[in-house]
Amino acid sequence: MQTGLDVLHTTDWDRTLHAYGASGDAPGRLSGLLADDPDTLTRSLDYLYSAMLHQGTLYPATVPTVLFVAGLLERPGAGRPHPDAGAGPEPLRAALLGFLRDTAESADTGESDAALAERARLSPAERDRVVEAVLADDEDAWEEPALEALTWQVVVDLRAAAPVLRDAVQPLLTCQDALLRSRAVEAAAAIAALGGLDLDLSGAADMAETRDEAAVIVLAKGEAGGDTSEFLTHTDPAIRACAALAPALSTNTEATRVLVESLDDPWEADRWFGTRPAAFGGHVRFTLVRTLAERAGPGDAERLLPVHRRMAALSSAYTAEADCGPLLELAFARAPGDGVPDEPTAVQRAYLRALLDNDEIWSGTVANFSVRLKSLGLPMDREGVRELVGP
């Protein structure tokens, strides 16, 4: 399977699609990743996410793009700083590894090979028809059911490419740069999970020097389906929490206890890392509380009330959805079609009082938290919540 410049030159880009239709512009835009001009490089990096992985969506042109990017990792120029790195001298290689990781995560649907093949079933004639419709700017083409089969074929193709992507990333697992090692570990874990491949992080683990690196390795092992229970008793609370996040430990009571413990001081959890592992996305506390809520049931709402109170106390209008939404959903869990009881329970009132006690949560109107309140049948404004809680 070709990678790097070979892919750029041999792919029939005019006959494949990205987020905006025909991908005939891809060779010119992607070759900007080889440029020394900062503006050109920035536009090419933006192009990866705007055209080839738009809001996490995959397209037929994503496959050759990923293979092209994988082939750039070994080029000397990929070690130079890139203009989107902010204050730090983050190399271009780190950004490319991030794109490989994000693409692999988007493609990891959890479907079996047989299920994927069935979803991607499409005759050559039907494929040509829908591609022609998109290329002709037919507005209805994007609603074609056949286009969904094309998207599933992308997942099939990316899964098939996983061994090649793994081989491209593997040498960087033991490179001298700590940041690159971490980015390579994250990409390798996502690729292994996508392709059902073995993940060997022993070399990276031997070279790990900081809490940040150790956390990335533990998170990667969990993401790839590994058992991280041995780290639940680690002396470092950050490492314990990263181990507890592993999907394989979703029913492990000790892992749940560790997650609760990690939220004894949510602010402190947010300060654990100098360079936050990609697995967290936003604030560390967001992932911890969301995972905790996903593993709990309605009967756990009272037990987790102290966690909710701590989250609500530090929240704001801009973070309330991520801080308070998951456990609020747990406290007001109900059968489909049921509304909020006329008389909230004592526990439900306590959850709402925790929100009322923080002025910052109500200092502005942010749609996502209001939508969450509405979805639970709750008033969307502070006065309405106060009236529901009562004296």
Side-chain angles (χ1 to χ4, degrees):
M1 192 174 288
Q2 293 178 324
T3 62
L5 290 175
D6 288 340
V7 179
L8 203 64
H9 298 317
T10 60
T11 300
D12 187 359
W13 295 99
D14 289 326
R15 295 290 302 167
T16 190
L17 310 172
H18 57 36
Y20 304 107
S23 58
D25 62 335
R29 302 296 296 275
L30 293 176
S31 62
L33 294 172
L34 305 171
D36 292 325
D37 175 57
D39 291 338
T40 301
L41 184 55
T42 295
R43 287 193 295 270
S44 293
L45 288 170
D46 290 343
Y47 180 77
L48 293 177
Y49 286 93
S50 64
M52 301 301 181
L53 193 63
H54 184 69
Q55 297 180 350
T57 302
L58 304 167
Y59 303 90
T62 307
V63 180
T65 298
V66 165
L67 291 169
F68 168 69
V69 167
L72 298 186
L73 294 176
E74 65 180 4
R75 293 177 66 88
R80 67 190 187 280
H82 73 82
D84 288 340
E90 182 171 318
L92 173 61
R93 231 180 234 117
L96 300 180
L97 286 167
F99 175 69
L100 294 180
R101 177 199 67 230
D102 293 341
T103 303
E105 289 180 348
S106 294
D108 188 11
T109 62
E111 301 273 356
S112 68
D113 288 342
L116 276 179
E118 182 61 32
R119 289 178 179 273
R121 188 186 299 276
L122 194 66
S123 70
E126 189 69 2
R127 181 193 182 282
D128 289 344
R129 184 189 64 79
V130 72
V131 169
E132 289 291 351
V134 173
L135 296 179
D137 291 329
D138 183 343
E139 293 182 359
D140 297 328
W142 291 102
E143 305 301 324
E144 283 269 6
L147 200 61
E148 184 176 351
L150 277 183
T151 303
W152 284 108
Q153 184 61 49
V154 174
V155 177
V156 172
D157 293 343
L158 286 172
R159 186 174 288 186
V164 174
L165 301 179
R166 176 194 57 189
D167 292 346
V169 171
Q170 193 77 25
L172 295 175
L173 293 175
T174 53
C175 70
Q176 293 303 309
D177 185 278
L179 172 66
L180 275 182
R181 285 200 302 270
S182 292
R183 293 291 180 263
V185 166
E186 291 169 340
I191 291 166
L194 169 64
L197 307 174
D198 292 334
L199 179 65
D200 181 6
L201 299 177
S202 56
D206 290 341
M207 298 182 71
E209 301 171 343
T210 65
R211 166 192 273 182
D212 290 4
E213 279 196 86
V216 166
I217 290 170
V218 173
L219 288 165
K221 184 175 181 179
E223 180 182 354
D227 180 4
T228 58
S229 56
E230 63 180 299
F231 299 106
L232 292 176
T233 55
H234 197 280
T235 55
D236 189 324
I239 303 303
R240 292 199 299 271
C242 289
L245 291 171
L249 302 187
S250 61
T251 59
N252 184 299
T253 56
E254 178 61 13
T256 300
R257 187 198 65 75
V258 168
L259 289 176
V260 172
E261 174 191 69
S262 69
L263 289 167
D264 282 348
D265 187 347
W267 274 125
E268 178 59 28
D270 284 338
R271 293 193 292 266
W272 277 342
F273 306 111
T275 300
R276 187 174 59 222
F280 289 104
H283 289 302
V284 172
R285 68 181 193 265
F286 293 169
T287 299
L288 297 176
V289 75
R290 183 182 68 250
T291 304
L292 179 61
E294 288 171 351
R295 296 180 182 181
D300 296 312
E302 183 172 6
R303 178 174 64 86
L304 297 179
L305 176 58
V307 176
H308 171 71
R309 283 175 170 151
R310 287 191 288 273
M311 297 296 291
L314 58 77
S315 193
S316 72
Y318 298 98
T319 66
E321 162 59 16
D323 284 328
C324 307
L327 289 180
L328 199 63
E329 183 95 34
L330 187 70
F332 285 87
R334 61 197 192 284
D338 290 349
V340 174
D342 293 334
E343 287 294 326
T345 66
V347 171
Q348 289 173 334
R349 284 196 173 91
Y351 268 77
L352 295 177
R353 284 195 190 99
L355 302 179
L356 293 172
D357 287 343
N358 183 354
D359 294 340
E360 292 298 318
I361 290 177
W362 310 97
S363 62
T365 302
V366 179
N368 54 2
F369 187 54
S370 299
V371 169
R372 173 81 78 160
L373 292 174
K374 184 178 181 180
S375 72
L376 296 175
L378 295 168
M380 298 170 65
D381 61 288
R382 192 179 195 180
E383 290 308 312
V385 172
R386 182 176 284 123
E387 183 177 345
L388 178 64
V389 171

